[in-house]
């Protein structure tokens, strides 16, 4: 084979390779677009139902109508206790979808799906009973710049609370019925009160613990784990 034919063959291989890469990239962009849309829907449902519940019926007519339309819900779906059952159902479905996405892609990064779609996986895991399982994934995503340090701190504290251990950053507030059968909210026990505001600042929280509790309308009262049963 002469040199001209060799050069022609090499050019043909290069052009063919470039074409295959371009087609693969186009396919990847399309796939990412679909994933972005899916995550945006998951995020809408996760946050939307919580906005409805947290408002305690005080949402504006316009905002409520907007959420119901976006989530394809009716007024009946969010009446009374039905809204809590709906939240549990949404959380369960969302978790299955997020687990499937993480299995295929790892944590969906900003470069893969953009913001705020990349936050969907964090919120769904944070609201699940599988925080401990996926915490290493969230830590890695934080190292990669896809999750903020404050978000990671929220999940670290949530995981410790689930395990019945003192939290580090003071982010977790728990509600439970007291001995008078009244629903009370309190700061979950913390590990070190002397250092907590330093740790909060290090991970990016703008408020100190006192300011945070005031905003959340929770008394600044410190409990130990063994005192919680006496509330």
């Amino acid at each position: 084979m002469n040199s001209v034919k060799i050069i022609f063959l090499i050019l043909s291989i290069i052009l063919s390779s470039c074409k295959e890469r371009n087609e693969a990239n186009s396919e990847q962009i399309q796939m990412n677009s679909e994933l972005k849309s899916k995550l945006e829907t998951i995020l809408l449902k996760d946050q939307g139902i919580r906005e409805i519940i947290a408002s305690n019926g005080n949402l504006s007519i316009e905002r409520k109508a907007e959420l119901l339309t976006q989530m394809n819900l009716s007024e009946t779906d969010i009446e009374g206790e039905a809204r809590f059952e709906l939240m549990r159902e949404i959380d369960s479905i969302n978790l299955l979808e997020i687990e499937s996405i993480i299995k295929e892609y790892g944590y969906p990064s900003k470069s893969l799906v953009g913001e705020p779609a990349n936050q969907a996986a964090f919120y769904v895991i944070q609201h699940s009973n599988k925080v401990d399982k996926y915490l290493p994934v969230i830590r890695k995503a934080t190292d990669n710049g896809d999750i903020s340090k404050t978000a990671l701190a929220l999940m670290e504290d949530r995981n410790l609370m689930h395990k019945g251990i003192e939290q580090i950053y003071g982010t977790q507030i728990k509600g439970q019925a007291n001995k008078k059968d009244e629903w009370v909210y309190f700061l979950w026990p913390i590990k070190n009160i002397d250092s907590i505001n330093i740790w909060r600042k290090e991970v990016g929280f703008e408020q100190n613990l006192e300011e945070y509790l005031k905003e959340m309308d929770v008394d600044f009262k410190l409990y130990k784990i063994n005192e919680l049963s006496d509330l």
Side-chain angles (χ1 to χ4, degrees):
M1 184 179 292
N2 62 39
S3 59
V4 175
K5 288 185 177 179
I6 292 174
I7 292 172
F8 180 80
L9 179 60
I10 292 172
L11 286 173
S12 298
I13 292 171
I14 292 172
L15 289 172
S16 175
S17 175
C18 288
K19 182 180 178 182
E20 288 174 2
R21 282 201 302 271
N22 287 337
E23 289 174 352
N25 286 340
S26 297
E27 213 172 282
Q28 181 71 23
I29 290 169
Q30 179 62 34
M31 179 182 64
N32 292 350
S33 177
E34 292 174 2
L35 181 59
K36 178 178 183 291
S37 178
K38 185 174 185 178
L39 285 166
E40 286 172 344
T41 299
I42 290 172
L43 183 60
L44 168 66
K45 291 179 179 179
D46 177 275
Q47 294 295 289
I49 187 61
R50 284 172 169 80
E51 183 177 347
I52 289 170
I53 290 175
S55 71
N56 199 26
N58 293 322
L59 270 182
S60 69
I61 295 174
E62 294 77 12
R63 180 55 179 163
K64 183 165 71 170
E66 180 184 15
L67 283 173
L68 291 178
T69 299
Q70 290 176 337
M71 298 173 69
N72 195 26
L73 298 174
S74 68
E75 289 274 2
T76 306
D77 294 324
I78 59 170
E79 286 180 354
E81 293 300 311
R83 54 188 173 157
F84 296 102
E85 182 58 36
L86 177 61
M87 183 175 70
R88 286 189 285 270
E89 182 182 337
I90 288 173
D91 286 352
S92 178
I93 294 171
N94 280 350
L95 181 60
L96 289 175
E97 292 184 343
I98 288 299
E99 287 190 295
S100 177
I101 289 170
I102 289 176
K103 185 175 181 181
E104 183 172 355
Y105 300 95
Y107 189 90
S109 65
K110 292 178 184 178
S111 59
L112 186 65
V113 297
E115 297 181 272
N118 74 303
Q119 298 171 16
F122 169 83
Y123 282 114
V124 170
I125 293 168
Q126 178 79 340
H127 297 146
S128 77
N129 61 357
K130 294 191 176 182
V131 171
D132 194 45
K133 177 180 178 180
Y134 288 104
L135 192 49
V137 175
I138 300 300
R139 288 171 180 153
K140 184 177 179 181
T142 303
D143 290 340
N144 292 338
D146 291 308
I147 294 293
S148 69
K149 290 181 180 180
T150 53
L152 175 60
L154 285 165
M155 190 168 285
E156 295 280 11
D157 276 355
R158 178 69 60 92
N159 190 48
L160 291 169
M161 185 176 71
H162 283 177
K163 292 181 173 182
I165 301 172
E166 294 93 339
Q167 60 178 321
I168 298 172
Y169 304 100
T171 66
Q172 299 302 296
I173 293 168
K174 186 173 176 60
Q176 69 180 41
N178 62 17
K179 290 183 176 180
K180 299 178 181 178
D181 205 27
E182 300 167 330
W183 197 256
V184 295
Y185 291 93
F186 59 91
L187 174 69
W188 182 259
I190 57 178
K191 188 173 184 179
N192 191 328
I193 185 60
D194 296 328
S195 303
I196 194 166
N197 285 329
I198 296 173
W199 292 339
R200 286 177 65 86
K201 187 174 182 180
E202 284 180 352
V203 296
F205 288 111
E206 295 182 358
Q207 296 173 310
N208 62 33
L209 182 61
E210 295 85 350
E211 292 167 340
Y212 171 65
L213 292 176
K214 185 176 180 180
E215 182 177 296
M216 300 299 291
D217 196 24
V218 172
D219 290 337
F220 186 86
K221 190 168 183 179
L222 302 177
Y223 292 98
K224 295 181 180 179
I225 296 293
N226 59 9
E227 295 175 333
L228 299 182
S229 59
D230 296 327
L231 289 179

